[in-house]
């Protein structure tokens, strides 16, 4: 297995800095860069483990009381607390509570604003990197504080399901403000693609269209009021703000953490007599049914982060790698879905599992609007002769979307 990438500075001084398994290479002016295997990688192998430059919990997710470490996004509820909240059953007791890895006795709050961290290390890391700029102190609950006004405006623009956060942009600014070497951090962030449009393909990011001009104008004004810094003046002019918006929209990697999920995986690994295994599996199956009935599909603490190596991975509708977060924090594990030869490009899917099963036309629509490119992977190439229509199920969804066009203008999705 690859070793965790603990020292982001050594990793990121050079955008083509390599691990023992991979390297970043420039491909062409259309695809830009890509991540390539330096050696043969076997199916199931962990290719790399990477920390984000910055990460942030989604604002609606936080407002709905999904408790996560402000720095590393580790879920702060115990598995039992998590299960009780999600199932709306305050009397629920989980078997094998010793398998829960959450340690509430280690949790610490910022002494000024009281936001929570999973450990003193995370609290100190946040303070050293960005939190001194973003700490609201006694104004944490003040709706008139400029940062709270910015958060509220973002929530009014981007309803769940969330795919990005204005706070990623805020943390980028805060990191540069606090850094001794401001140019170094600006250089790191410059490695992310920040095009608001793909002029060659005449594609514009869907949140930067004419219908959202007023909302973007409000966000830009509040962003500038809350965070302006002369060293970053180019990020605060309208065009720079649009580019920053496109950067987090097209590069942000979703992060999901769950103490309950970790507990379930630990239960799966237990060696039990057949009868006890059957009872435990039955309990877990029923628990998830109860959660689905009470809460639906929103199970995890959710956020997004900017990862230098992972962001170099191009998309394929038949990916040979996928990202996961098995440590219940922001550490991204990139795992091989198939054998990968030395010199082969490592590709992930920007689409979720269900979206990958849609028609070529539907997949292209999602990728054009969100990531500003037309996919030419082997699956898309093999389906070039298909008619540009969606399945009957997708047509039904499209009709529902058409009827709700007015709502869609308010409920946007990066």
């Amino acid at each position: 297995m690859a070793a965790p990438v603990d020292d982001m500075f050594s990793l990121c001084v050079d955008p083509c800095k390599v691990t023992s398994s991979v390297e970043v290479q420039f491909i062409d002016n259309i695809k830009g860069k890509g991540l390539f295997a330096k050696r043969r990688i076997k199916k199931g192998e962990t290719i790399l483990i990477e920390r984000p430059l910055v990460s942030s919990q989604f604002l609606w997710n936080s407002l709905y009381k999904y408790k996560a470490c402000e720095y590393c996004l580790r879920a702060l509820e115990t598995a039992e607390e998590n299960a009780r909240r999600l199932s709306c059953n305050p009397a629920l007791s989980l078997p094998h509570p010793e398998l829960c890895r959450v340690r509430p006795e280690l949790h610490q709050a910022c002494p000024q604003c009281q936001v929570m961290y999973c450990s003193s290390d995370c609290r100190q890391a946040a303070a050293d990197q960005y939190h001194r700029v973003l700490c609201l102190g006694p104004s944490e609950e003040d709706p008139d504080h400029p940062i709270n006004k910015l958060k509220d405006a973002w929530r009014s623009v981007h309803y769940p399901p969330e795919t990005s956060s204005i706070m990623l942009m805020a943390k980028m600014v805060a990191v540069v403000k606090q850094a001794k070497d401001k140019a170094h951090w600006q250089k790191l962030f410059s490695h992310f693609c920040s095009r608001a449009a793909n002029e060659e393909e005449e594609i514009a990011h869907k949140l930067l269209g004419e219908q959202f001009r007023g909302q973007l104008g409000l966000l830009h004004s509040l962003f500038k009021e809350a965070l302006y810094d002369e060293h970053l003046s180019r990020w605060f002019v309208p065009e720079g703000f649009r580019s920053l918006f496109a950067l987090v929209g097209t590069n942000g990697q979703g992060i999901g953490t769950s103490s309950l999920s970790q507990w379930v995986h630990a239960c799966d690994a237990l060696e039990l007599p057949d009868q006890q295994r059957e009872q435990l599996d039955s309990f877990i199956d029923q628990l998830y049914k109860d959660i689905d009935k009470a809460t639906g599909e929103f199970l995890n603490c959710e956020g997004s982060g900017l990862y230098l190596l992972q962001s170099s991975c191009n998309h394929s509708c038949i990916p040979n790698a996928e990202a996961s977060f098995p440590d219940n924090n922001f550490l991204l594990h990139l795992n091989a879905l198939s054998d990968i030869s030395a010199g082969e490009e490592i590709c992930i899917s920007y689409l979720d599992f269900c979206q990958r099963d849609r028609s070529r036309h539907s997949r292209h629509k999602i990728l054009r609007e969100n990531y500003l490119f037309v996919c030419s992977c082997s699956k898309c190439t093999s389906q070039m002769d298909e008619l540009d229509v969606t399945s009957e199920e997708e047509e039904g969804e499209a009709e529902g979307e058409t009827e709700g066009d007015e709502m869609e203008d308010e409920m946007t999705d990066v």
Side-chain angles (χ1 to χ4, degrees):
M1 289 181 61
V5 182
D6 287 324
D7 186 353
M8 284 305 298
F9 284 100
S10 65
L11 171 67
C12 305
V13 169
D14 180 346
C16 294
K17 184 81 175 180
V18 297
T19 71
S20 60
S21 302
V22 299
E23 64 182 345
V24 179
Q25 297 178 12
F26 179 77
I27 301 175
D28 55 42
N29 290 327
I30 297 175
K31 293 187 75 173
K33 58 191 176 183
L35 194 66
F36 291 81
K38 292 180 65 182
R39 59 171 179 81
R40 182 173 179 272
I41 298 171
K42 295 181 180 180
K43 178 181 179 180
E45 185 177 345
T46 298
I47 301 168
L48 60 86
I49 303 174
E50 184 179 11
R51 289 177 183 265
L53 292 184
V54 290
S55 62
S56 178
Q57 186 180 6
F58 290 145
L59 292 176
W60 280 108
N61 192 260
S62 175
L63 191 69
Y64 287 152
K65 307 302 182 185
Y66 288 75
K67 298 177 181 178
C69 174
E70 198 278 332
Y71 180 71
C72 76
L73 272 64
R74 184 183 299 278
L76 297 180
E77 292 177 305
T78 65
E80 189 166 87
E81 290 171 338
N82 195 199
R84 286 174 174 177
R85 177 173 59 81
L86 293 175
S87 65
C88 297
N89 180 1
L92 178 68
S93 294
L94 295 186
H96 303 287
E98 73 282 356
L99 297 179
C100 177
R101 300 179 188 174
V102 177
R103 297 292 176 262
E105 68 274 10
L106 299 179
H107 297 175
Q108 288 196 5
C110 168
Q112 281 76 44
C113 68
Q114 303 304 308
V115 300
M116 292 299 299
Y117 298 94
C118 67
S119 65
S120 60
D121 288 344
C122 277
R123 182 176 68 82
Q124 191 60 53
D128 291 344
Q129 189 176 354
Y130 59 81
H131 188 65
R132 291 198 298 274
V133 168
L134 298 180
C135 182
L136 273 57
S139 300
E140 178 68 21
E141 303 298 330
D142 180 4
D144 292 323
H145 190 285
I147 289 180
N148 283 335
K149 289 166 67 175
L150 177 66
K151 291 179 178 180
D152 186 60
W154 174 260
R155 282 191 292 261
S156 72
V157 170
H158 196 329
Y159 282 79
E162 298 168 90
T163 55
S164 188
S165 175
I166 196 78
M167 293 310 294
L168 268 186
M169 297 162 63
K171 285 188 175 180
M172 290 170 68
V173 171
V175 163
V176 176
K177 278 189 171 187
Q178 283 194 205
K180 293 180 180 178
D181 189 348
K182 299 182 187 302
H184 171 74
W185 277 97
Q186 290 182 72
K187 181 181 178 182
L188 294 186
F189 290 131
S190 74
H191 296 319
F192 294 98
C193 175
S194 58
R195 289 186 302 173
N198 181 337
E199 295 176 358
E200 293 87 353
E201 299 287 351
E202 297 183 349
I203 307 171
H205 195 282
K206 70 178 185 180
L207 266 190
L208 299 174
E210 198 65 35
Q211 69 270 36
F212 301 120
R213 185 174 295 276
Q215 295 170 324
L216 284 173
L218 173 62
L219 288 171
H220 175 226
S221 175
L222 293 172
F223 189 76
K224 191 172 182 179
E225 177 188 354
L227 296 161
Y228 183 79
D229 184 89
E230 61 181 15
H231 291 96
L232 294 168
S233 57
R234 61 188 175 84
W235 284 357
F236 290 93
V237 297
E239 191 56 39
F241 181 74
R242 286 167 61 86
S243 293
L244 204 59
F245 211 91
L247 187 155
V248 300
T250 57
N251 293 278
Q253 164 66 45
I255 301 170
T257 63
S258 169
S259 49
L260 178 60
S261 177
Q262 274 211 319
W263 174 84
V264 170
H265 285 306
C267 286
D268 289 342
L270 287 175
E271 294 185 5
L272 298 171
D274 290 345
Q275 184 177 1
Q276 291 184 33
R277 167 55 60 190
E278 185 177 338
Q279 290 175 341
L280 182 57
D281 289 347
S282 177
F283 175 88
I284 292 172
D285 288 343
Q286 185 59 49
L287 173 59
Y288 274 115
K289 289 177 183 177
D290 294 342
I291 289 174
D292 184 63
K293 187 181 300 182
T295 307
E297 61 185 20
F298 295 103
L299 303 183
N300 299 339
C301 294
E302 295 181 344
S304 60
L306 296 176
Y307 297 83
L308 273 179
L309 284 178
Q310 176 274 339
S311 71
S312 299
C313 290
N314 285 308
H315 164 82
S316 172
C317 296
I318 43 174
N320 57 14
E322 67 176 355
S324 63
F325 300 89
D327 297 319
N328 193 30
N329 62 12
F330 62 15
L331 284 179
L332 180 149
H333 292 232
L334 188 66
N335 301 306
L337 294 174
S338 59
D339 289 345
I340 302 172
S341 303
E344 183 179 348
E345 185 175 7
I346 297 169
C347 293
I348 60 176
S349 176
Y350 298 173
L351 306 173
D352 65 32
F353 189 77
C354 293
Q355 290 171 333
R356 270 180 263 164
D357 284 339
R358 291 187 175 189
S359 68
R360 175 179 179 269
H361 177 66
S362 294
R363 299 195 308 272
H364 278 205
K365 181 176 186 293
I366 297 169
L367 293 169
R368 285 169 61 94
E369 291 180 345
N370 292 280
Y371 300 102
L372 310 180
F373 72 92
V374 177
C375 183
S376 58
C377 72
S378 58
K379 181 176 181 178
C380 287
T381 301
S382 70
Q383 296 174 344
M384 283 185 66
D385 294 333
E386 286 187 358
L387 295 176
D388 285 345
V389 294
T390 58
S391 65
E392 290 182 4
E393 178 182 0
E394 290 164 342
E395 288 291 355
E397 292 173 356
E399 289 174 11
E401 289 170 4
T402 302
E403 293 171 0
D405 276 349
E406 187 175 338
M407 283 297 293
E408 186 179 2
D409 283 358
E410 296 298 321
M411 299 178 68
T412 58
D413 185 13
V414 175

